[in-house]
Amino acid sequence: MAEAFYAACILFPMAVLGWLVVRLVLRGSSQVLLCMECEQCMGRCPLVTRKGPDFPGPRGIMVAAKAGRLQKAAEGGALACTNCGLCEKACPRGLAPYQELEVLRRK
Ligand code: SF4
Ligand code: SF4
């Protein structure tokens, strides 16, 4: 009985984690899994200082995409992103936060 409980304690979180990863991959947002939220992109984004707190910045876009809250972030001002690509150049992992907004824009 105890073994079954311990197995469930391991398998259930793994199943939830696996489902979250599959959901991101199906959405075409697998790059957000690599974002370590280091904020290096924030210093390069011209809109972070220009727009102030209304604009979540590239890190905020990645965090919102990771949490499935991209639509809300877009309504909050994330669509002001100009696709300049400076965040991608600053990212040590070469991630492109602006690409996360492309799906919303196409809609
Ligand atoms: S997108 Fe890149 S630079 Fe920006 S927070 Fe994520 S890992 Fe860091
Ligand atoms: S592509 Fe968008 S988020 Fe990235 S630096 Fe340019 S304006 Fe900022």
Side-chain angles (χ1 to χ4, degrees):
M1 187 69 183
E3 288 88 356
F5 174 74
Y6 290 129
C9 286
I10 294 168
L11 292 176
F12 181 70
M14 283 175 69
V16 170
L17 194 63
W19 177 75
L20 289 172
V21 170
V22 167
R23 201 175 64 151
L24 284 170
V25 171
L26 289 177
R27 253 195 238 146
S29 292
S30 52
Q31 68 163 349
V32 302
L33 294 167
L34 297 174
C35 176
M36 52 192 169
E37 300 177 25
C38 64
E39 298 203 359
Q40 288 197 46
C41 49
M42 295 291 275
R44 288 291 295 279
C45 176
L47 294 185
V48 168
T49 44
R50 209 179 300 156
K51 292 255 175 202
D54 286 345
F55 183 66
R59 176 192 172 272
I61 291 168
M62 294 300 254
V63 171
K66 218 185 275 185
R69 289 187 279 106
L70 200 54
Q71 181 69 44
K72 204 173 173 196
E75 286 161 11
L79 285 177
C81 165
T82 58
N83 283 11
C84 68
L86 289 173
C87 49
E88 184 177 10
K89 288 187 183 126
C91 177
R93 293 189 168 173
L95 306 179
Y98 59 91
Q99 283 178 357
E100 296 304 314
L101 298 169
E102 284 309 300
V103 179
L104 286 181
R105 284 201 175 100
R106 271 185 245 126
K107 280 182 189 167

